[in-house]
Amino acid sequence: MATKQFNAKVEIGDPELTTHEEQALLQNHLAATQRLNYHFKNVVARSMMRLSTDYLNRHTKIVGIENLRHFKGGAIITSNHFNPLENTAIRKMVQKVRHRRLYIVSQPTNLKMTGFIGFMMNYDDILPIGHGMNYMGRTFPNLLASKLQQGNFVLIYPEQEMWFNYRKPRPPKRGAYYYAAKLKQPILSCFVTMTAEPKMDNDEFQQIQYTVHILPVIYPDPAKSVAANSEAMMAQDYRQKVRAYEQAYGVKMTADFQPEDIAGWRGSDQS
């Protein structure tokens, strides 16, 4: 916190890929999506994810639906990133407000996972990002544009790295807003708050109930350049998330770290 590295990786154990390995992984994944058996497995994965979403979010609350009363078309969803399963809360919101497909932007290393999680990462609606200039400058924007133009939602975590059960909104990186500005698509701004329940989840954490806050939709200004739009949209989104944090928790936003910033942690003096 003292170094202001709010987008730093704090989780360990992720596989590391060379440039060649990443390129090969992305090419193989894109090729696989064109095969018939992929579409069958995609239907299976989506069905399994819907069941999991309903179960994991049976107590999740959704507020701010009025902000989408007149909304039509696709959008890039931004939300805070604090748990491997918190995207199911966003999925639940999408199911509630509109029965559309939700694509999630994901690191390519997730494609190397095995077992059930690996199956879901490879066959659910995932849009992998990479580091190659050609892929991120041409392939990924085309994939993103096609999903948005079909009226779908795409979830991008502008905080980049996951900080487990961290309550505060972290300053975003510009990527999501650059693509929104470039593709002339809105940002569907969301913020998920956490309430610790009395029941224990494990030795270190209590169980958590989520509340998804749907914030005002942010539209690009046609009079501004892509660069100016992306900066303005990013700033507005962060302001909205800070306001949602302060209203939900009843505290002022600060950059300092306190144990209670980790929701449900037994080491905290406040749950």
Side-chain angles (χ1 to χ4, degrees), residues 50 53-54 60-75 77 88-102 151-154 188-190 212-215 217:
R50 185 178 183 89
T53 293
D54 289 340
T60 294
K61 300 176 182 178
I62 300 169
V63 298
I65 293 177
E66 64 276 6
N67 286 316
L68 296 181
R69 185 176 294 118
H70 303 296
F71 183 82
K72 295 181 179 180
I77 298 176
T88 63
I90 300 298
R91 291 177 187 273
K92 187 67 177 179
M93 179 274 291
V94 172
Q95 292 175 11
K96 186 174 181 65
V97 302
R98 195 163 301 177
H99 290 274
R100 301 185 178 201
R101 291 174 73 167
L102 173 67
N152 299 306
F153 293 143
V154 178
L188 201 172
S189 176
C190 293
V212 180
H213 301 261
I214 305 172
L215 309 177
V217 180

Side-chain angles (χ1 to χ4, degrees), residues 75-125:
I76 292 175
I77 298 176
T78 63
S79 186
N80 44 327
H81 194 20
F82 56 86
N83 190 293
L85 297 175
E86 104 268 325
N87 69 76
T88 63
I90 300 298
R91 291 177 187 273
K92 187 67 177 179
M93 179 274 291
V94 172
Q95 292 175 11
K96 186 174 181 65
V97 302
R98 195 163 301 177
H99 290 274
R100 301 185 178 201
R101 291 174 73 167
L102 173 67
Y103 290 82
I104 298 181
V105 171
S106 177
Q107 295 287 342
T109 52
N110 291 330
L111 299 174
K112 289 183 68 67
M113 291 184 177
T114 57
F116 173 76
I117 299 299
F119 177 83
M120 299 303 291
M121 286 295 177
N122 279 273
Y123 295 106
D124 195 18
D125 289 337

Side-chain angles (χ1 to χ4, degrees), residues 74-213:
I76 292 175
I77 298 176
T78 63
S79 186
N80 44 327
H81 194 20
F82 56 86
N83 190 293
L85 297 175
E86 104 268 325
N87 69 76
T88 63
I90 300 298
R91 291 177 187 273
K92 187 67 177 179
M93 179 274 291
V94 172
Q95 292 175 11
K96 186 174 181 65
V97 302
R98 195 163 301 177
H99 290 274
R100 301 185 178 201
R101 291 174 73 167
L102 173 67
Y103 290 82
I104 298 181
V105 171
S106 177
Q107 295 287 342
T109 52
N110 291 330
L111 299 174
K112 289 183 68 67
M113 291 184 177
T114 57
F116 173 76
I117 299 299
F119 177 83
M120 299 303 291
M121 286 295 177
N122 279 273
Y123 295 106
D124 195 18
D125 289 337
I126 297 294
L127 293 181
I129 57 174
H131 297 91
M133 291 295 294
N134 185 62
Y135 182 84
M136 292 306 294
R138 180 176 302 175
T139 304
F140 178 76
N142 288 341
L143 289 171
L144 182 60
S146 69
K147 306 308 180 187
L148 294 170
Q149 288 165 4
Q150 291 166 11
N152 299 306
F153 293 143
V154 178
L155 172 61
I156 300 180
Y157 292 112
E159 296 176 343
Q160 292 190 340
E161 300 296 340
M162 185 191 78
W163 286 17
F164 192 80
N165 279 18
Y166 187 67
R167 282 187 164 120
K168 293 178 178 178
R170 290 178 279 139
K173 306 294 280 186
R174 196 165 64 96
Y177 313 97
Y178 166 78
Y179 288 118
K182 184 177 178 62
L183 300 175
K184 298 179 174 59
Q185 296 288 334
I187 292 288
L188 201 172
S189 176
C190 293
F191 185 70
V192 182
T193 56
M194 294 167 272
T195 303
E197 300 292 329
K199 189 174 181 180
M200 300 306 299
D201 190 46
N202 53 48
D203 290 340
E204 294 185 88
F205 286 90
Q206 295 167 255
Q207 290 186 358
I208 298 295
Q209 178 180 304
Y210 296 151
T211 298
V212 180
H213 301 261

